């Protein structure tokens, strides 16, 4: 049953990501133009992340930070008032538009629309045997942690949400997360943080 659901999940990922890329291509081109003309640096930010079975792949995002700002302290989230974020970057991050290039990762089979978020490589040696189970599934464009508060959760809490997703995976759970993701984009992560806090 699980194998069948994972097969359906992959088919949905491929078809949906292809349609999204085609449908949003004018919008994506416009965003790329704005990024290029309003700040120095590349349009796309690339970074290696561990995926399914810890295989390393290159994740894509629209660049939202000033050149040279990619160095981050492990466990420290980049907040909306961070002065390293570009002017347009604040809006791209608020409405999750910066994540849209990862649709290409989904199309290529490196990611799924829903799954544990791909973490930085330098976290790998910090995971316990239980936490390594996050790599039993493809990382996702959105996930359970992203609809449970995300930046308002610490690293441990987000990891537990990712493990909860892997343990309880179903197509129905994916659908639930996709619908809640729409709510996060429209109303902000803080609304879901207060709603889900303490779960």
């Amino acid at each position: 049953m699980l194998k069948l659901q994972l097969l359906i999940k992959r088919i949905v990922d491929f078809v949906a990501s292809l349609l999204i890329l085609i449908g949003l291509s004018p919008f994506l081109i416009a965003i790329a133009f704005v990024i290029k003309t309003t700040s120095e640096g590349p349009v796309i930010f690339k970074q290696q992340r561990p995926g399914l079975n810890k295989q390393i792949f290159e994740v894509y995002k629209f660049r939202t930070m000033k050149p040279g700002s990619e160095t981050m302290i492990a466990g420290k989230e980049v907040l909306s008032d961070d002065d390293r974020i570009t002017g347009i970057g604040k809006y791209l991050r608020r409405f999750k538009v910066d994540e849209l290039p990862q649709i290409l990762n989904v199309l290529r089979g490196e990611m799924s629309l829903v799954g544990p978020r791909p973490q930085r490589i330098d976290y790998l040696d910090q995971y316990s045997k239980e936490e390594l189970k996050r790599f039993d599934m493809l990382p996702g464009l959105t996930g359970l942690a992203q609809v449970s508060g995300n930046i308002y959760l610490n690293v441990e809490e987000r990891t537990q949400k990712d493990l909860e997703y892997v343990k309880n995976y179903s197509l129905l759970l994916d659908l639930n997360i996709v619908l809640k993701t729409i709510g996060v984009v429209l109303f902000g992560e803080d609304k879901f943080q207060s709603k889900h806090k303490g779960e």
Side-chain angles (χ1 to χ4, degrees):
M1 185 63 178
L2 178 59
K3 289 184 177 180
L4 177 59
Q5 289 196 79
L6 290 175
L7 175 60
I8 295 174
K9 179 182 176 72
R10 177 55 194 151
I11 293 173
V12 171
D13 281 342
F14 181 82
V15 174
S17 60
L18 183 60
L19 292 176
I20 290 172
L21 278 176
I22 294 173
L24 291 184
S25 56
F27 176 69
L28 297 177
I29 292 172
I31 292 298
F33 177 78
V34 173
I35 293 173
K36 191 65 178 177
T37 56
T38 57
S39 64
E40 296 182 357
V43 169
I44 299 295
F45 172 73
K46 302 176 183 179
Q47 191 173 62
Q48 290 189 326
R49 300 287 177 96
L52 180 65
N53 298 321
K54 296 191 289 185
Q55 292 185 355
I56 306 301
F57 71 101
E58 200 165 52
V59 69
Y60 307 123
K61 298 179 69 173
F62 278 129
R63 181 178 57 81
T64 60
M65 301 182 75
K66 299 171 185 176
S69 300
E70 58 271 9
T71 301
M72 294 170 56
I73 301 174
K76 182 179 179 181
E77 190 63 52
V78 178
L79 300 178
S80 59
D81 59 351
D82 195 306
D83 60 9
R84 294 173 297 174
I85 300 176
T86 63
I88 186 64
K90 294 179 180 180
Y91 297 99
L92 297 181
R93 296 174 76 93
R94 162 59 185 86
F95 294 102
K96 309 302 179 185
V97 175
D98 61 318
E99 308 283 358
L100 288 179
Q102 289 168 38
I103 292 294
L104 182 58
N105 291 119
V106 176
L107 183 65
R108 292 167 57 171
E110 299 163 332
M111 292 179 62
S112 175
L113 292 176
V114 182
R117 282 296 291 160
Q119 297 297 311
R120 292 165 63 91
I121 292 178
D122 49 12
Y123 286 142
L124 276 175
D125 60 357
Q126 301 177 26
Y127 288 128
S128 65
K129 184 177 180 181
E130 178 69 17
E131 291 171 339
L132 286 173
K133 291 180 180 179
R134 67 180 297 121
F135 300 111
D136 289 346
M137 295 194 71
L138 284 171
L141 182 61
T142 186
L144 190 57
Q146 284 60 53
V147 298
S148 301
N150 197 22
I151 65 173
Y152 299 97
L153 303 177
N154 59 38
V155 173
E156 290 75 19
E157 289 171 329
R158 274 180 281 177
T159 297
Q160 287 307 309
K161 287 296 182 181
D162 286 336
L163 294 176
E164 182 182 335
Y165 170 81
V166 173
K167 180 180 180 181
N168 300 298
Y169 170 72
S170 70
L171 292 172
L172 185 59
L173 178 58
D174 272 9
L175 178 60
N176 187 34
I177 291 173
V178 168
L179 293 176
K180 287 182 178 178
T181 298
I182 296 173
V184 169
V185 171
L186 293 176
F187 305 112
E189 292 173 336
D190 57 324
K191 302 298 188 299
F192 282 76
Q193 182 264 345
S194 59
K195 180 178 180 180
H196 291 274
K197 189 174 182 180
E199 286 189 356

